């Protein structure tokens, strides 16, 4: 009997790669061998943790999980939506200045490289349509309506997921960190509702069988050991989150102050067929969890989520932004190992599927 366990995605890049990127820019062909080495090393170390599912550590997602697919587009300007972090810094996304909207790259290109080195299943994270929708300016673009933009955006997102499915991704995880942030920006809930509706339009393009391979990740953000929306009550997000027509949910939970209350909300709003992977290690906490702590968190969660719908995950990626050095690679892999061992301990005690 096992309990499924999966990572979220990013692993801190090797410091020499971060320095080279700072010097040369993320797209310089000179960096290709460095990226390749980083991916090979990440896959090897990931497999050494015992994690039954791995990622490429997003070594090549430049500059981050949010804008990798649009970075370098000629029809953008740098002064787009700002993501404010509690530590005081902001991250900024590009603004679209003209149509049509097209991705510059699709995430399946990362899968190609990872699968060359991997011996176990590889999952792939992609960014949500709702996150990218923030690229369209509030005052519109002459000759390119918001409706045209949304249509192009949904087509590109669907294409990216289909390409990942065709290449045999174990799961496709849609990163939806802006879900919780939406309740901070717009307390009325209108923005969150519009995000859910948009992402459901995208999910409706897939069959039931395909949606069982698609998941959604929610978290309060993670950058330089800081968050953007941990102060938003999960009770404001989770009822809407489970309205998303996806098969799997990857929910940051390890650092929540009152995990039981969150689990009670999950129990109330999770649809019977939906799998929930609860976060059992916290990337932004420098202390490495013990397997026993992880085991106890899994047992706690199993009281609220049926065993045949329960899995474990990390609370978030370990460095969603490529230049984030707040967590070392050693720490990230040690935490992943604790997740794997602790989940196995729990499965021995309470079973699994
Ligand atoms: Zn996250």
């Amino acid at each position: 009997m096992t309990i499924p366990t999966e990572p979220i995605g990013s692993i801190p890049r090797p410091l020499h790669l971060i320095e080279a990127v700072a010097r040369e820019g993320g797209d310089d062909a000179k960096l290709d061998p460095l990226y390749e080495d980083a991916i090979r090393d990440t896959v090897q170390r990931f497999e050494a943790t015992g994690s039954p599912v791995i990622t490429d550590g997003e070594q090549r997602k430049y500059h981050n999980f949010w804008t990798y697919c649009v970075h370098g587009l000629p029809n953008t300007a740098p002064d787009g939506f700002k993501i404010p972090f509690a530590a005081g810094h902001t991250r900024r996304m590009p603004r679209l200045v003209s149509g049509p909207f097209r991705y510059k790259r699709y995430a399946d290109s990362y899968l190609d490289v990872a699968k060359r080195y991997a011996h176990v299943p590889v999952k792939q994270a992609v960014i949500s349509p709702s996150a990218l929708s923030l690229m369209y300016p509030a005052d519109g673009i002459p000759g390119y309506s918001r409706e045209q933009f949304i249509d192009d955006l949904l087509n590109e997102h669907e294409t990216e997921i289909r390409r990942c499915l065709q290449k045999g991704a174990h799961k496709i995880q849609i990163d939806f960190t802006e879900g919780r942030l939406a309740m901070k920006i717009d307390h009325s809930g209108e923005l969150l509702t519009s995000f859910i509706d948009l992402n459901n339009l995208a999910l409706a393009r897939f069959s039931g069988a395909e949606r069982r391979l698609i998941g959604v990740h929610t978290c309060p953000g993670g950058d330089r050991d800081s968050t953007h929306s941990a102060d938003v009550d999960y009770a404001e997000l989770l009822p809407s989150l489970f309205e998303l027509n996806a098969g799997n949910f990857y929910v940051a939970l390890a650092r929540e102050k009152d995990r039981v209350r969150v689990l009670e909300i999950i129990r109330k709003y999770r649809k019977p067929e939906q799998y929930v992977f609860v976060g059992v290690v916290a990337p932004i906490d420098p202390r490495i969890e013990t397997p026993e702590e992880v085991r106890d968190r899994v047992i706690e969660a199993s009281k609220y989520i049926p065993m045949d719908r329960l899995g474990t995950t990390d609370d978030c990626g370990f460095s969603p932004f490529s230049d984030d050095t707040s967590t070392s690679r050693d720490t990230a892999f040690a935490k992943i190992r604790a997740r794997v061992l602790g989940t196995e301990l729990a499965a021995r005690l309470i079973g699994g599927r």
Side-chain angles (χ1 to χ4, degrees):
M1 299 284 260
T2 58
I3 297 170
T5 187
E6 296 181 14
I8 291 299
S10 62
I11 296 289
R13 282 59 159 181
L15 291 177
H16 66 269
L17 175 61
I18 294 175
E19 284 159 14
V21 166
R23 234 178 11 248
E24 316 286 351
D27 298 325
D28 195 303
K30 262 190 294 192
L31 298 182
D32 284 350
L34 291 184
Y35 280 122
E36 189 85 13
D37 278 355
I39 294 161
R40 191 182 57 232
D41 185 65
T42 300
V43 167
Q44 274 172 5
R45 295 192 66 182
F46 228 129
E47 291 186 341
T49 66
S51 193
V53 178
I54 64 164
T55 70
D56 69 344
E58 305 187 353
Q59 302 297 287
R60 202 152 191 162
K61 268 192 181 172
Y62 184 76
H63 169 266
N64 57 67
F65 72 103
W66 190 309
T67 60
Y68 66 89
C69 54
V70 295
H71 177 81
L73 282 179
N75 54 338
T76 59
D79 58 344
F81 178 76
K82 278 189 206 161
I83 312 159
F85 284 87
H89 68 288
T90 57
R91 296 288 197 169
R92 197 155 201 184
M93 71 185 306
R95 170 176 60 91
L96 194 67
V97 295
S98 63
F101 175 78
R102 298 283 183 270
Y103 283 13
K104 190 161 165 99
R105 59 190 70 75
Y106 300 104
D108 67 293
S109 58
Y110 307 129
L111 212 48
D112 288 334
V113 183
K115 284 182 81 93
R116 280 211 301 272
Y117 299 113
H119 305 86
V120 300
V122 183
K123 74 183 277 191
Q124 182 61 53
V126 302
I127 192 59
S128 65
S130 53
L132 291 175
S133 73
L134 294 166
M135 286 179 71
Y136 191 86
D139 50 359
I141 295 174
Y144 186 59
S145 69
R146 188 173 169 84
E147 288 67 33
Q148 287 174 290
F149 165 71
I150 293 296
D151 204 39
D152 285 341
L153 170 60
L154 290 172
N155 286 338
E156 289 293 77
H157 174 75
E158 179 186 2
T159 298
E160 182 173 51
I161 290 190
R162 291 208 179 282
R163 290 172 67 129
C164 293
L165 286 170
Q166 275 158 15
K167 290 186 179 169
H170 175 72
K171 294 273 183 60
I172 321 285
Q173 172 188 290
I174 300 169
D175 285 335
F176 186 50
T177 185
E178 73 283 6
R180 197 159 168 177
L181 183 61
M183 286 309 296
K184 185 161 176 163
I185 298 170
D186 173 14
H187 204 72
S188 77
E190 260 177 61
L191 184 63
L192 176 60
T193 301
S194 74
F195 282 177
I196 298 285
D197 290 348
L198 177 61
N199 293 336
N200 267 339
L201 278 179
L203 288 161
R205 297 182 172 206
F206 296 94
S207 69
E210 288 165 339
R211 284 197 298 266
R212 281 194 282 280
L213 296 175
I214 298 175
V216 176
H217 167 51
T218 181
C219 68
D223 185 36
R224 299 182 193 164
D225 286 346
S226 179
T227 57
H228 52 56
S229 55
D231 51 339
V232 172
D233 190 337
Y234 254 148
E236 297 192 64
L237 170 71
L238 292 175
S240 301
L241 184 79
F242 289 109
E243 291 300 317
L244 285 170
N245 203 355
N248 307 276
F249 292 82
Y250 302 89
V251 180
L253 185 62
R255 262 179 72 90
E256 287 297 309
K257 282 188 198 75
D258 188 349
R259 287 194 306 274
V260 164
R261 179 166 168 271
V262 176
L263 286 164
E264 283 169 348
I265 300 168
I266 292 173
R267 176 170 63 188
K268 184 163 176 199
Y269 291 97
R270 185 188 67 84
K271 306 276 191 297
E273 69 282 6
Q274 291 171 335
Y275 289 78
V276 177
F277 291 73
V278 294
V280 290
V281 295
I284 68 173
D285 180 354
R287 192 183 64 84
I288 293 159
E289 294 81 355
T290 65
E292 290 73 23
E293 259 176 287
V294 170
R295 173 199 64 198
D296 293 346
R297 287 173 184 176
V298 182
I299 292 170
E300 180 181 66
S302 73
K303 293 171 184 149
Y304 302 88
I305 300 162
M307 285 308 297
D308 62 353
R309 288 293 180 273
L310 174 65
T312 65
T313 186
D314 311 315
D315 260 12
C316 192
F318 288 89
S319 56
F321 293 84
S322 67
D323 60 357
D324 180 4
T325 55
S326 61
T327 304
S328 72
R329 284 166 74 80
D330 288 347
T331 297
F333 287 119
K335 282 175 172 274
I336 289 168
R337 185 158 180 76
R339 163 169 60 78
V340 172
L341 290 175
T343 303
E344 283 171 7
L345 287 177
R348 260 181 248 154
L349 282 174
I350 55 176
R353 60 173 186 263

